Amino acid sequence: MKEDIFQSANNLLKGNIWLDALFGIEKENIRVDIDGKLAQTPHPTVFGNKLKHPYITTDFSESQVEMITPPLPDIKQTIGFLETVHDIVSLELTDEYLWPQSIPPILPDDEQIPIAQYDEEGKAAQHYREFLAKKYGAKNQLISGIHFNLSYSEKLLEVLYHKINPSLSYEEFKDEVYLKTVRQMLRLRWLYVLLYGDSPVVDSSLELKCKLAPYTINNHVVALSIRNSCYGYRNISDLYPDYSSVTNFRSSVEQMVKDQQITSFKELYSPVRPKFMKSPEHISYIELRFIDIDPLTKAGITEEELSFLHALTLYGLLSKEPDCFNAEAQAKANRYYGCVALYGLDAVPCMFEQEGEQTNIWHKAKTLIQEVITLFEELGIDKSEYPDSLSHAMQLTKHPEKRKVHEVLNGVHTIGYIPYHLKKAKDYLLESQQKNYNFIGLEDMELSTQLLLREAVRRGISFDIMDRKENFIRLEKEGNIQYVKQATKTSLDNYASILAMENKLVTKRILKEHGIRVPKGEEYTHAETAKADFIRFQGLSVVIKPNQTNFGTGITILKENRNETTFQRAVDIAFEHDSTILIEEFVEGKEYRFFVMRDKVVGILHRVPANVAGNGIQSIRELVHLKNEDPLRGKGYRTPLEKIQLGEAEAIFLQAQHKTFDYIPMAGEIVYLRENSNISTGGDSIDFTDDIPDSYKQIAIQAAQALNVSITGLDMIIPDYRKEASKDNYAIIELNFNPAIHIHCHPFKGENRKLNEKLIDALGYKPV
Amino acid sequence: MKEDIFQSANNLLKGNIWLDALFGIEKENIRVDIDGKLAQTPHPTVFGNKLKHPYITTDFSESQVEMITPPLPDIKQTIGFLETVHDIVSLELTDEYLWPQSIPPILPDDEQIPIAQYDEEGKAAQHYREFLAKKYGAKNQLISGIHFNLSYSEKLLEVLYHKINPSLSYEEFKDEVYLKTVRQMLRLRWLYVLLYGDSPVVDSSLELKCKLAPYTINNHVVALSIRNSCYGYRNISDLYPDYSSVTNFRSSVEQMVKDQQITSFKELYSPVRPKFMKSPEHISYIELRFIDIDPLTKAGITEEELSFLHALTLYGLLSKEPDCFNAEAQAKANRYYGCVALYGLDAVPCMFEQEGEQTNIWHKAKTLIQEVITLFEELGIDKSEYPDSLSHAMQLTKHPEKRKVHEVLNGVHTIGYIPYHLKKAKDYLLESQQKNYNFIGLEDMELSTQLLLREAVRRGISFDIMDRKENFIRLEKEGNIQYVKQATKTSLDNYASILAMENKLVTKRILKEHGIRVPKGEEYTHAETAKADFIRFQGLSVVIKPNQTNFGTGITILKENRNETTFQRAVDIAFEHDSTILIEEFVEGKEYRFFVMRDKVVGILHRVPANVAGNGIQSIRELVHLKNEDPLRGKGYRTPLEKIQLGEAEAIFLQAQHKTFDYIPMAGEIVYLRENSNISTGGDSIDFTDDIPDSYKQIAIQAAQALNVSITGLDMIIPDYRKEASKDNYAIIELNFNPAIHIHCHPFKGENRKLNEKLIDALGYKPV
């Protein structure tokens, strides 16, 4: 056996750089009908071409949805991505659910199991599935699971290569890294299954065959992980590839194909597989295939479990390999693995043979986990998810009854296999419906961007996050590459128009020249000149504001400009924020946000201050709590609306109305808790898209055209929207070049205007 | 006569608002050849269609260039615009000059004077000129001058209307304002001519007729303002329109046409004309036509003179009208005016008849100016140009010999009429050639913008300044409207690409994905992670910098990264400027700025620190002074290069080389005075456009295409430009989305790459 170049690598490098990696997940979920029977409907057409959608496709069966994440640098984000894909799929199903269990639901006979259908281009894929159905049986193919793809980061590998300085090329070195990881994970996988295996029961409609005697309860096979056991889906005969080098691996598998044991590489159902992507010569990543779907979570997998698995791969890479990994060693590893899967619920018969001695499996598990913990301490890893996951795993070895599989078994015993899982599926759908605006794992990004990314996933548009803090993303499908920042900063607008919108003075002048009404006003660069113009604005309602501001700072509104001293003070305040200020006529009326996209008004919104509507029974305090239960309301801009606060500001505002939080408003009485209508202080957003007459919309469109802009959030004052627009019963305040879309998608009142869909259309992606 | 509604308006409103106005100038200059003879060449074709160019056209003769400014809010800016147009015209002439005198140069016989030529569309204009030549004689038509167009601002008129509150509509009120101004200026114009008349001599080739006896010196007619005298160009008979109302004015002129005294409105050569632009019903502005070209200034007119004229119009508007302005009163005003023009050099015979008494003209001038001064004091006007111009006018009444006309006469007496004016013309051309980068009056704007505006004027593209401080302009020609900010922020680029360029991290990633070499590096959001990566950059040359910075702040370069403490400190410094920082490989070589425009490299520049080249004779101090004489060098970014300083920083830098400012460098020895190569500290810009191999240019173009940008200033490091580009002998540092163009137009060494012309082409305006 070759020298192990990794054996003391743990001394060469310290810190969290060891965790640098890319993580991807593939998950299959079977679609079931309301009775928990395999759905006989086609894969939702909204997801388009099965061969091309990067995130949503089918596996063996037409009813088996396969959800795929791209490789992502963070486990949490990867699971969030997976869960979001899960949500998106769920929301497209009608009277169907995603079955939250690796072991299938009620199945019809083999011939009634619909094999995935493809168009002409996908005929090869379809024929392969037909061949599999014949060779392994269609029912077996429906055992579903999760594949975890892992690649160490180039950064980690480069540093490691540099530190170890082996007599290998960098590419050869990487192959060695992955081959050792594969061999070790084939040896260590039993530990994961022991702790997290979770496919304990089989419905009698699934006819399983296994040469080992199963436990049965009420005619159901019961085990820790049926999917990973001899009942699971596996090659017909035991196959032992040669993992000593890439060349040996490839030729050993080719030999199996020659021997007609399998038809191609992909038919080798090894629980751990090296994967070749960029070239057939070198390994790109590894695939861990022994993960059962967790029925207790919507995503089917948790961060804790994957962190544990990731820790295990690093342990595998850096620890000593016990012996060479020939067919005999592989067979031995397989036996333990199969044994744990089948008998691991209590695991009495599974003992480890080590140098002649037999070791209790729980003892061995503890020892192993302790070694991983010690390694991670040595490496100086302080990312809490890892020590936490290891310590939880240790807990499970001490209290095996706390393993999730036991909760699932309890549930199954109480209400039955199908009802239990069906209830879970329905709960998860409700969750998906309620939180239908987030991109899970990317909640730190703006809601508008999250909504855009959700739509990208739905439409099969690949995306990359170019700069997460900046909400800068790249979309790509069929050669159409689009860079987008903050959802509405796109290639659809030219830079000059953006700059014109950014400058209130310029905007106003252009609009005015196009005959569009803007508040009468003037620009000043000297405080004295502005102050001297008091006379021109005397008696009018005026706004005094800095030329460039997006946050409302430095703005004063004088309802009736009569006091010269107040006017002068307001001028000084505005000049504190910009060297150019505007004094403008203040137009009375309500302000509406018109979202204009490519010469169409696609949404109109009006905002009202935080308020509750009385029912004559409950107090303001109670009504606020009730209103805050809306899943659209949250804290810290992670939701379309913010929770109404019961703070000092609200108390003072109520006090001015001679009310307290304990006041009980009459039925129908609206009590406002804030003066300002900002969403951030609990304000409501009300959709007016269908209420505002077309005449106003035409003006908004003309304004957008005057500035030659594709996307704008235009603020218009309208005194009474029930009257048609005339020459002077409106005024345009400004055009925003980065309008939010989420407020139009998830308003407090009114329908979802789906601006994320419309924006994706506008960016040139084919509508679904 | 109607009540004078303006009589006490001076009490209703105070302050500089009275000065709010728009000013325009039209000036004619005759093209002459190197001998001072009327040019026989056609109008430069570069200026395109004479009927459509908004700024440059011809008047009566093909050799008579007419230069027009748009209405501008500031006299200084208006004159600057005029001077810039003058410069632009001058620079397009070959062996020709613009004749700086109202009275023509050496003229051929009438039939050899070329009448302006027009294409088919302009046939009417041409026929009218032929008619004029026949009616008035071609030579007379060549007497040139300046027209000053003035409109009070809408703001002033609105406030005034509001204050006076007359029983008139606003439009009628404005007509009254302008009619009174016209009448008064017809009465007051003699004062301007007395002080600033400046067409004193006629070459004998111009055959003049006048019924009054002229002064003659050496057979030359000599007067104060021949152009404004009976020798000038005027209607054949005296015409007296009715200025009492717009209706009366129009019908009186129509009667003249019916009577065949004139053929149309435009043939009424009144020295002061009401002008109708938006509608024939209402006056838009007034035109003052009695201004002689000032031979002592390139522009032909000064701010002082126009401020004085503007003050006079306000005085006219606000002072009492002496009597009704019937034909008799007009004839009387004409007589004084003509008398002053003819005899005003000493003005003995011109006396004012007033209520039976005769007043000395100088006494009357003093009284009048004092009245204007008093009015301006009453109005509280403190814009110094006005009191200054009035006090200077007063000085001239006390010392008439200080009038410019006497300097011109002296010059003419000394070297002769033609040589004197020809020398002036040549001096002005040299001035135009040396300062060929400014837009005069707009020097506070960026040089790149000034250059773009110069090219716009040349090409006959109208422009508006949307926001002066922001360098935000609008260009318009033949329906093509372009908004441009800071010269290179245009509609040619989409917003997403701008944002990609703005973000170094995103730029780098995109370039890398396109196989373009960027310095190896990494992004960090946590100082600890960055510091831990010391190991990865150990021994390399690295730059540590904030993700977003345009001014070089927070950047540290470590030539050989060996000291961990220094590395950590540099990380901290970068994090002080941004929450994301970059650590990058520092690529050795010289930095070149590639200006890429629409898939072409249109300029390449390299900057070197402030330096002098020795000659073995002069000291560093002397060499710096010599180098600073270059008209390209100035102070405060008003010029393409900055003067080299002899300050502390330079002294210290020399000290390190064991030199002082008194050191005399050897012939050919280059002495650097600064380490940094910034233009702002006296650095030189060297054009390399033709020196850098095409292989590098192709890389720059590919980089621009990768980001989908039309305009970018790309910074590339090249170790040795004499070698062709290979995969790894260059690196792109960044792409700037707002690159300056002036550095490529006026480099220290190398040719003008005319990026202003190319940019105007790129914006879709037809090349000349």
Side-chain angles (χ1 to χ4, degrees), chain B residues 274 432 458 465 744:
Chain B
S432 301
R458 198 171 81 100
I465 296 169
H744 299 274

Side-chain angles (χ1 to χ4, degrees), chain A residues 201-480:
Chain A
V201 187
V202 176
D203 182 80
S204 53
S205 64
L206 190 69
E207 295 136 20
L208 297 178
K209 293 183 191 82
C210 180
K211 53 195 167 188
L212 300 168
Y215 287 96
T216 56
I217 297 170
N218 299 337
N219 282 329
H220 290 325
V221 173
V222 176
L224 170 59
S225 174
I226 290 168
R227 173 169 163 275
N228 282 302
S229 77
C230 53
Y231 291 111
Y233 179 55
R234 45 176 58 195
N235 290 111
I236 286 165
S237 51
D238 289 339
L239 301 173
Y240 306 111
D242 183 343
Y243 294 105
S244 62
S245 73
V246 168
T247 319
N248 293 347
F249 175 74
R250 296 198 69 86
S251 57
S252 66
V253 179
E254 277 157 19
Q255 190 58 48
M256 295 171 197
V257 175
K258 266 190 207 148
D259 297 347
Q260 300 192 333
Q261 294 174 295
I262 52 177
T263 54
S264 70
F265 257 78
K266 66 179 169 187
E267 203 189 326
L268 179 69
Y269 302 125
S270 175
V272 180
R273 289 206 290 208
K275 297 288 271 190
F276 302 82
M277 204 166 52
K278 288 173 198 158
S279 105
E281 313 295 323
H282 299 292
I283 302 170
S284 304
Y285 63 95
I286 63 164
E287 184 184 39
L288 304 171
R289 300 159 51 90
F290 46 77
I291 304 166
D292 289 341
I293 294 169
D294 172 13
L296 301 182
T297 57
K298 176 159 54 116
I301 184 74
T302 66
E303 189 181 358
E304 185 178 276
E305 289 152 14
L306 293 189
S307 299
F308 176 77
L309 255 186
H310 181 205
L312 212 55
T313 62
L314 282 169
Y315 168 80
L317 177 65
L318 295 177
S319 60
K320 194 174 177 299
E321 288 195 74
D323 45 33
C324 80
F325 204 53
N326 56 16
E328 190 188 331
Q330 289 184 45
K332 190 172 134 193
N334 286 355
R335 279 202 301 282
Y336 286 115
Y337 168 69
C339 180
V340 165
L342 200 59
Y343 302 112
L345 277 175
D346 42 27
V348 180
C350 305
M351 304 293 273
F352 262 79
E353 289 173 56
Q354 204 168 19
E355 292 164 19
E357 285 180 54
Q358 282 204 331
T359 313
N360 176 282
I361 198 166
W362 289 108
H363 178 71
K364 180 65 189 166
K366 276 179 204 140
T367 314
L368 242 174
I369 295 168
Q370 188 50 55
E371 282 177 28
V372 185
I373 290 172
T374 307
L375 172 71
F376 267 54
E377 283 167 1
E378 274 174 30
L379 295 178
I381 288 171
D382 60 6
K383 202 183 168 195
S384 63
E385 289 84 345
Y386 289 82
D388 288 355
S389 76
L390 291 168
S391 111
H392 183 250
M394 188 63 101
Q395 282 303 310
L396 293 181
T397 62
K398 293 171 185 163
H399 304 281
E401 73 284 5
K402 290 191 176 164
R403 290 176 297 171
K404 287 181 180 173
V405 67
H406 291 292
E407 185 180 335
V408 173
L409 264 179
N410 280 342
V412 169
H413 290 164
T414 311
I415 63 169
Y417 176 74
I418 296 295
Y420 176 77
H421 287 99
L422 203 53
K423 180 172 184 318
K424 286 281 176 202
K426 289 179 183 176
D427 289 349
Y428 297 147
L429 175 61
L430 190 67
E431 238 181 78
S432 301
Q433 285 165 339
Q434 282 187 341
K435 272 258 188 180
N436 61 345
Y437 44 80
N438 278 125
F439 201 109
I440 306 160
L442 299 179
E443 290 97 336
D444 54 311
M445 298 188 83
E446 293 175 352
L447 268 184
S448 289
T449 296
Q450 292 183 52
L451 283 171
L452 199 66
L453 292 180
R454 281 179 70 106
E455 181 60 12
V457 165
R458 197 171 80 101
R459 301 269 275 267
I461 298 163
S462 302
F463 75 83
D464 261 319
I465 296 170
M466 303 296 286
D467 189 329
R468 185 154 170 168
K469 275 199 288 183
E470 299 274 317
N471 289 277
F472 204 139
I473 59 166
R474 171 170 53 199
L475 304 174
E476 179 165 12
K477 187 179 180 182
E478 291 164 12
N480 179 7

Side-chain angles (χ1 to χ4, degrees), chain B residues 4-16:
Chain B
D4 187 346
I5 53 174
F6 307 106
Q7 220 170 322
S8 29
N10 48 332
N11 297 320
L12 295 176
L13 185 66
K14 302 291 176 194
N16 290 342

